[in-house]
Amino acid sequence: MNRREFFKTSGMGALALLLSSCGFSKQASSSSELSGGNLVGSKKKVAGTGGDRYIPPEQRQGNESVVYFTRDLSAAGLLKAYETIAGSMTGKVGIKLHTGEPHGPNIIPRPWVKRLLEAKLPGAKIVETNTYYEGARYTTEDHRKTLAVNGWDFAPVDILDEEGTAMLPVRGGKWFTEMSVGSHLLDYDSLLVLTHFKGHTMGGFGGSDKNIGIGCADGRIGKKMIHSGEGGSQWGIGKEEFMERMTESSKATADHFGSRIAYINVLRNMSVSCDCEGTGAQPVVTPNIGILASADILAVDQASVDLVYALPEKDRHDLVERMESRHGLRQLSYMKELGMGCDRYVLLDLDHGSQPLTLADAVKDVKPFAG
């Protein structure tokens, strides 16, 4: 049986088989085991390198995961993508998404999320945390006002750090042995990570890794651990070290939920700016591409990056420059080092019977962005 026939006949069984081979939540090797938060045999923690260099698919090694793709950027497309990973969502479900600064122009459309909740997740809650910077989401009171301004009042929104924090273990990390998250995160059985994929001023890009790495860390302790370290300035940590700290934080959340976490990336309105910049975000020039879904956090972020790189140079230039100049691609290589998933994957086309799809074919009909 060839690979095309395997996926056509095996469905979720094929997905489970491939995911089990990706080394999820792999423990650190003996050379990088933690002792009191420091690397054994190392006097100083040193960040990795290469975050400014893209590794094309043909140069990667290892097992493959599964990523589903649809070009349908609509509520119906989101439902289609969700159905591929819906089996992971059991019990009390949280939906982690970026609700944005006041009047943010690029966040995931609220009607799409409303339709998803009504059709598939009627008992779920949107979950968020307060920000590390002072602004419209710094306090819970102001955050709730912003939620209303941005139209998220159609559903219950749980601000995870409203009533304090909890510590989750970071297994196999370099910078942390544990991460501080909003205490309400522990109230949920499953987590759907619904991400607006875009650029980011510090991270280079904001995908699923950032959505939970920064987005589940609480606003006072966890985010400080990532951005500032011990006694550093508020935004003092950048490039590869920042990517590694953020990724260790996301691993804490991913490990906590285990098989009950799944990821959807929406590649639409991809400014080089994060949604945290609100109306100050840079104009969008990257074409809209589609929606990706996977049970593998690395695969879904890697596929998102790969689709951007598969665009013509004039269309990808700004977003690629943002990723590389911030050394954001270290998010991907570090997720692989931590055993969080696969950077090789099969892309399945939901618009054509879940048949395998090349990156070039996925983007061949994209249109220049028109704001």
Side-chain angles (χ1 to χ4, degrees):
M1 179 183 292
N2 63 30
R3 187 170 71 173
R4 182 182 294 267
E5 293 169 337
F6 175 66
F7 283 105
K8 186 174 181 180
T9 60
S10 300
M12 290 301 291
L15 174 62
L17 178 62
L18 284 182
L19 293 182
S20 68
S21 70
C22 282
F24 278 75
S25 300
K26 180 177 65 179
Q27 296 300 311
S29 66
S30 59
S31 63
S32 60
E33 290 292 337
L34 288 167
S35 175
N38 295 302
L39 290 173
V40 172
S42 175
K43 294 181 180 180
K44 183 180 180 180
K45 304 171 195 174
V46 178
T49 60
D52 57 342
R53 296 192 297 274
Y54 175 67
I55 301 173
E58 62 272 16
Q59 294 180 17
R60 301 173 203 153
Q61 297 180 342
N63 294 313
E64 293 179 322
S65 192
V66 179
V67 179
Y68 295 93
F69 172 74
T70 177
R71 303 161 188 81
D72 186 358
L73 283 160
S74 69
L78 180 58
L79 285 174
K80 188 189 303 185
Y82 172 75
E83 286 167 355
T84 66
I85 44 84
S88 302
M89 299 295 103
T90 60
K92 186 177 180 180
V93 178
I95 303 175
K96 176 63 190 74
L97 54 82
H98 197 310
T99 53
E101 292 296 318
H103 307 292
N106 299 322
I107 57 178
I108 294 174
R110 276 70 76 203
W112 298 10
V113 182
K114 183 178 181 181
R115 177 61 181 148
L116 175 64
L117 284 162
E118 291 172 344
K120 300 295 181 180
L121 292 164
K125 291 184 179 181
I126 295 168
V127 300
E128 265 278 35
T129 55
N130 293 320
T131 59
Y132 183 39
Y133 56 87
E134 294 190 26
R137 297 184 299 135
Y138 185 67
T139 68
T140 297
E141 180 181 6
D142 286 341
H143 199 156
R144 293 206 178 280
K145 292 176 183 177
T146 300
L147 290 168
V149 166
N150 282 350
W152 295 107
D153 48 359
F154 62 83
V157 179
D158 186 354
I159 298 178
L160 298 175
D161 52 347
E162 181 174 9
E163 297 181 307
T165 67
M167 301 301 290
L168 294 180
V170 176
R171 301 186 182 95
K174 177 192 300 183
W175 304 99
F176 306 121
T177 56
E178 55 187 4
M179 175 51 57
S180 181
V181 300
S183 63
H184 291 186
L185 186 66
L186 277 59
D187 295 340
Y188 294 88
D189 301 303
S190 301
L191 191 67
L192 174 63
V193 183
L194 178 55
T195 302
H196 172 221
F197 184 89
K198 66 283 183 186
H200 190 269
T201 301
M202 294 193 68
F205 70 90
S208 289
D209 185 40
K210 179 191 173 293
N211 192 359
I212 58 173
I214 300 295
C216 290
D218 70 278
R220 300 297 176 268
I221 302 172
K223 290 181 174 67
K224 182 178 186 296
M225 291 168 66
I226 299 164
H227 281 289
S228 306
E230 298 179 5
S233 63
Q234 185 171 22
W235 311 115
I237 294 172
K239 295 189 175 178
E240 279 86 356
E241 182 177 339
F242 173 70
M243 310 310 159
E244 292 176 1
R245 287 171 175 265
M246 176 171 63
T247 300
E248 290 185 18
S249 175
S250 71
K251 187 176 191 296
T253 291
D255 285 353
H256 173 74
F257 286 100
S259 63
R260 294 168 286 104
I261 188 169
Y263 310 90
I264 297 175
N265 282 2
V266 178
L267 281 66
R268 168 191 177 274
N269 283 23
M270 292 180 287
S271 170
V272 300
S273 304
C274 177
D275 293 335
C276 54
E277 296 184 49
T279 56
Q282 292 296 309
V284 177
V285 296
T286 306
N288 293 335
I289 296 176
I291 302 174
L292 297 171
S294 183
D296 181 333
I297 186 173
L298 171 53
V300 78
D301 274 1
Q302 182 71 71
S304 300
V305 169
D306 289 342
L307 286 168
V308 171
Y309 273 84
L311 293 168
E313 199 280 334
K314 64 181 177 60
D315 291 327
R316 69 176 184 252
H317 175 273
D318 286 20
L319 190 48
V320 163
E321 190 279 335
R322 177 55 56 98
M323 293 180 190
E324 294 181 353
S325 65
R326 272 55 172 185
H327 295 222
L329 301 171
R330 179 58 177 156
Q331 293 183 54
L332 303 171
S333 59
Y334 198 52
M335 278 194 276
K336 186 170 185 177
E337 288 175 23
L338 290 174
M340 293 174 66
C342 299
D343 62 355
R344 299 181 68 242
Y345 53 86
V346 180
L347 192 65
L348 299 183
D349 188 351
L350 294 175
D351 303 329
H352 296 92
S354 295
Q355 293 299 310
L357 177 70
T358 67
L359 293 165
D361 283 342
V363 302
K364 70 178 182 179
D365 293 323
V366 300
K367 302 294 190 296
F369 184 81

